[in-house]
Amino acid sequence: MSSLGKAGLEDVVVSTSDICFIDGREGRLVYRGFDVDDLAAHSSFEEVVYLLWHGGLPNKKELAAHVKAMRSTANRKIPPKMIQMLRALPKKTTPMEVLRTGISALSAFDPDAADNSREASVRKALRLTTQMPTLVAAWERIRHGKAPVAPNPRLSHSANFLYMMFGKKPTPLAEKTFDVALILHADHEFNASTFAARVTAATLSDMHSAIVSGIGALKGPLHGGANEQVMLMVEKIKSPATAGAWIRKALADKARIMGFGHRVYRVEDPRAKHLRRLATELGEQAGNTDSVRILDTVAREVTADKKIYPNVDLFSGAAYKTMGIPTDQFTPIFAMSRVAGWAAHVLEQHGNNRLIRPRAEYTGATRATYVPVDQR
Ligand code: CMC
């Protein structure tokens, strides 16, 4: 008898996990027991990384040591040979391709590459989380013919990334916005990229390989790539005045509207409201709220027409755009945050591992007769 579930593993529970809880009906997201609304209001991305990897909030001493490690140049820097490698890539290489290639290459330089003990995996996770912003920012500068900016150990994880991108310290609002965006994207239960990372980890492969699997899965437009597609839609719409007509035509044409719908949430994604507020504040400070106003009109029309709601990807790009970040860097930024969750899941998988190996219900031929090629 067939045991085939719904397509796309919908609603299939594949494992227990202590890391992340989603209530799709109430629109709640919880990391290790803490509501993401509280973490967005009171925590920092650096602290959330600790929470995800170690299972609870750090005390003062633990937080200080963790923050020091996350800000240290020894962890953040990428080897000069990596910079040479980036310079050798065609300038048209997309930032997600660079990220996927770069993270894979970094394992060749990692002193713990072959060690899968928890201690070594936490060290690798820390290096990957702190090197990723350096890699992303270095490519942004190299592809525009500029020299990479060295990390600044006096700056927080978020401020340092924006500093390495633009060569100057961000405003307090930009730093805060970016940090909250990283908190909100840090984990999301068994989403496609985390599942890909866990499948890789479950073969007893290493942290770098699992993170590369996550990056590959995140890249697609149905997952992390949606934030870039939302901004491309905003650019096509052009102005708040044309948004209504544009989106009604797209809906009439049965187009899939990026930044809406979710496999788990049946209400609005709890992360969307934070990103909308921050994108609005940044836009007001910069004197241009067009992107948010366009997206508000789009949201009104899509929800009324299809009864689907904004997800995390709808407003993040509007905030990043106001900061001056190019659209094709939005998904690498998602990865810079989700790496924390991927790593937590790899640690959990390795802590109680069994190979993940499902079955397929075979629907092909079973008794084909082989005919030599010259008789076909
Ligand atoms: N625009 C238009 N119609 C939609 C959308 C959308 N964004 N999302 C779902 N639908 C419709 C879909 O056409 C289908 O209708 P029908 O039953 O009449 O054919 C129904 O809703 C169910 O859609 P589905 O694709 O079977 O649902 P799913 O659970 O497989 O898809 C999803 C979830 C996120 C892939 C989908 O909602 C989607 O493609 N959204 C746009 C891409 C996007 O924003 N992705 C980011 C997701 S959140 C962050 C992340 O995890 O990366």
Side-chain angles (χ1 to χ4, degrees):
M1 200 178 77
S2 168
S3 60
L4 195 60
K6 280 194 246 172
L9 294 181
E10 184 172 349
D11 292 333
V12 172
V13 175
V14 295
S15 170
T16 60
S17 175
D18 293 340
I19 301 171
C20 183
F21 168 68
I22 303 173
D23 185 332
R25 296 197 178 280
E26 292 292 321
R28 257 193 99 211
L29 170 61
V30 172
Y31 302 161
R32 302 279 192 188
F34 296 91
D35 199 299
V36 83
D37 289 344
D38 288 337
L39 295 171
H42 306 297
S43 188
S44 65
F45 178 67
E46 290 163 335
E47 185 176 57
V48 165
V49 169
Y50 186 101
L51 173 68
L52 289 170
W53 296 351
H54 300 287
L57 289 175
N59 63 28
K60 249 189 186 165
K61 203 171 147 213
E62 289 164 338
L63 182 62
H66 173 73
V67 166
K68 191 168 172 221
M70 280 199 71
R71 295 183 187 184
S72 88
T73 303
N75 284 324
R76 281 174 170 172
K77 72 172 193 294
I78 57 176
K81 283 195 173 141
M82 284 283 303
I83 301 288
Q84 282 171 22
M85 197 193 87
L86 295 183
R87 289 209 166 100
L89 292 172
K91 294 274 189 295
K92 65 166 186 40
T93 314
T94 65
M96 270 312 261
E97 290 173 298
V98 172
L99 184 66
R100 191 190 58 213
T101 306
I103 293 302
S104 188
L106 276 171
S107 100
F109 298 93
D110 198 292
D112 290 312
D115 187 347
N116 270 358
S117 65
R118 182 178 159 90
E119 295 69 30
S121 289
V122 170
R123 286 196 296 274
K124 285 187 279 189
L126 188 84
R127 278 193 287 277
L128 280 167
T129 306
T130 53
Q131 285 169 328
M132 227 184 237
T134 314
L135 180 63
V136 171
W139 177 245
E140 185 55 31
R141 297 192 64 90
I142 287 170
R143 72 171 167 166
H144 291 113
K146 295 184 190 159
V149 174
N152 180 341
R154 287 183 305 284
L155 297 180
S156 72
H157 188 79
S158 294
N160 176 58
F161 170 68
L162 296 170
Y163 167 74
M164 291 188 297
M165 281 289 266
F166 301 116
K168 61 177 201 282
K169 289 183 195 164
T171 64
L173 181 60
E175 177 182 1
K176 180 71 190 157
T177 300
F178 198 81
D179 206 60
V180 172
L182 294 189
I183 291 173
L184 297 172
H185 288 83
D187 198 42
H188 213 228
E189 201 220 39
F190 274 46
N191 61 92
S193 58
T194 299
F195 188 54
R198 284 191 81 128
V199 169
T200 298
T203 68
L204 295 185
S205 188
D206 61 283
M207 182 64 78
H208 284 77
S209 301
I211 301 302
V212 172
S213 298
I215 293 170
L218 187 74
K219 183 169 176 285
L222 295 188
H223 191 8
N227 57 10
E228 300 187 13
Q229 299 301 322
V230 168
M231 194 42 61
L232 298 177
M233 172 177 77
V234 167
E235 282 160 14
K236 274 189 216 148
I237 292 177
K238 290 196 179 79
S239 85
T242 48
W246 193 96
I247 192 65
R248 282 191 291 276
K249 177 167 186 323
L251 288 166
D253 292 345
K254 305 256 173 276
R256 188 159 287 246
I257 316 296
M258 296 294 145
F260 291 89
H262 203 275
R263 178 61 69 77
V264 184
Y265 295 116
R266 292 293 156 253
V267 292
E268 183 173 293
D269 182 328
R271 303 166 293 181
K273 61 180 179 295
H274 295 286
L275 292 162
R276 183 191 177 282
R277 175 178 48 80
L278 291 162
T280 306
E281 283 172 23
L282 270 178
E284 281 167 355
Q285 196 179 66
N288 184 350
T289 53
D290 279 6
S291 296
V292 177
R293 286 162 59 215
I294 288 172
L295 291 172
D296 279 342
T297 302
V298 169
R300 227 177 11 255
E301 296 286 341
V302 171
T303 301
D305 185 286
K306 302 215 58 123
K307 304 280 169 290
I308 52 172
Y309 300 90
N311 62 44
V312 70
D313 289 318
L314 191 65
F315 291 104
S316 57
Y320 302 150
K321 189 184 166 197
T322 306
M323 290 180 206
I325 297 171
T327 304
D328 60 1
Q329 290 284 16
F330 296 175
T331 314
I333 288 170
F334 193 153
M336 274 169 41
S337 165
R338 187 56 58 84
V339 65
W342 292 332
H345 282 270
V346 172
L347 294 169
E348 187 176 66
Q349 185 67 40
H350 279 172
N352 183 20
N353 191 58
R354 188 151 191 246
L355 179 75
I356 299 173
R357 202 296 185 198
R359 296 297 312 271
E361 184 173 298
Y362 181 64
T363 52
T366 51
R367 299 229 178 258
T369 304
Y370 185 84
V371 179
V373 68
D374 53 1
Q375 292 168 37
R376 283 176 223 160

